[in-house]
Amino acid sequence: MKLKCYFQYSKSQRSGIFLLVLLCVICQFTFFYWDPSSENGEDSEKQKWIGLQAKVDSLKVEKQNYIPKIYPFNPNFITDYKGSKLGMSIEEIDRLLNFRKTNQYVNSVSEFQKVTQVSDSLLNAISPYFKFPDWVNKGKTNNFKPFEKKTEKIIMLDINLATKEDFIKIYGIGPALSDRILKQKELFGGFVSMKQMNDVWGLSPEVIENLNKYFIVATLPKIKKIDINNSSIKELLLFPYFKYALAKAIVTYRSMNGDFKNFEDLTKINGFPSEKLDIIRLYLYL
């Protein structure tokens, strides 16, 4: 009887207990399944992605509408990359390159199409940008070679004394290439051989051949030579032909074998450009 009395409740007490249990259930449900910040967070993320998508779409449209600007150029010197950008096929580019290997030049739009066999539509699109040299525009014969002046006596200039204007006079060299040659000369302190023209980026074999017709190294420049037996890695790196790996290999070889007795010992170092030894040795001393 005493235990039973603990479970006897009035109607109002039972109602209160029921409401209390109901409130606990509602609170538990709210705690586990509803996050008041989730709605705002989702909206914020959604707006962020919408904004990024709009930017991506605008970039796609801009890319589709982009039309690369074509500058006038001599079609005789079209490279693989240049030809592909113009819309030429590999076969058409190869026909032009094979034709040029015979030391011949296309001197008109019609001759370009005859050699490359490009379509009329592509020819009409790119031919307005063709720029043939003056000797073609003035109506000289096709047998004339553009890198030669038969009636003019060639006066050789010292390349270490040449100015920007001197280089621009050479067919195939503009202001940019002229500046590049002068920068290379400044980097070395002066050229010691015309073979160094092969190290100037952007000079075609034809232009290098033409430079050799008009320029020579008349006198060796006064350069500050590098002491190959005592220079540190940092000091060796000042010489353009020595990259870090080679400079480190020189110092390592020197520490293990002693001083270099002659320049030929440099060729024993792995990675040393032996084919340039005759040039490199002029910038060094033992």
Side-chain angles (χ1 to χ4, degrees), residues 2-131:
K2 293 181 179 180
L3 184 63
K4 185 176 181 182
C5 68
Y6 289 105
F7 296 96
Q8 291 179 346
Y9 303 99
S10 64
K11 184 177 180 180
S12 61
Q13 289 174 330
R14 290 195 298 271
S15 298
I17 292 172
F18 175 77
L19 289 175
L20 180 61
V21 173
L22 182 62
L23 287 173
C24 289
V25 172
I26 292 174
C27 289
Q28 290 290 331
F29 179 84
T30 302
F31 179 78
F32 285 107
Y33 295 101
W34 182 65
D35 182 4
S37 63
S38 62
E39 295 182 1
N40 294 333
E42 290 178 0
D43 290 342
S44 177
E45 287 295 322
K46 186 176 181 181
Q47 291 298 325
K48 183 178 179 180
W49 281 108
I50 291 176
L52 289 175
Q53 185 61 47
K55 187 175 181 179
V56 172
D57 292 339
S58 65
L59 291 174
K60 287 182 179 179
V61 172
E62 183 179 343
K63 184 177 181 180
Q64 291 174 353
N65 295 333
Y66 173 74
I67 300 176
K69 186 174 182 180
I70 303 177
Y71 296 92
F73 62 94
N74 188 333
N76 285 291
F77 301 106
I78 290 177
T79 61
D80 290 332
Y81 175 78
K82 177 76 172 180
S84 63
K85 297 295 286 185
L86 293 172
M88 295 176 63
S89 67
I90 296 176
E91 292 77 13
E92 293 167 346
I93 298 172
D94 287 342
R95 293 189 191 104
L96 177 62
L97 295 179
N98 291 332
F99 180 77
R100 285 288 292 109
K101 287 179 181 178
T102 63
N103 200 30
Q104 299 183 72
Y105 297 85
V106 292
N107 301 320
S108 66
V109 174
S110 59
E111 189 175 4
F112 177 82
Q113 185 179 33
K114 182 179 179 181
V115 171
T116 60
Q117 301 178 23
V118 297
S119 63
D120 293 337
S121 57
L122 178 58
L123 184 69
N124 292 333
I126 64 177
S127 60
Y129 301 99
F130 287 0
K131 182 180 180 180

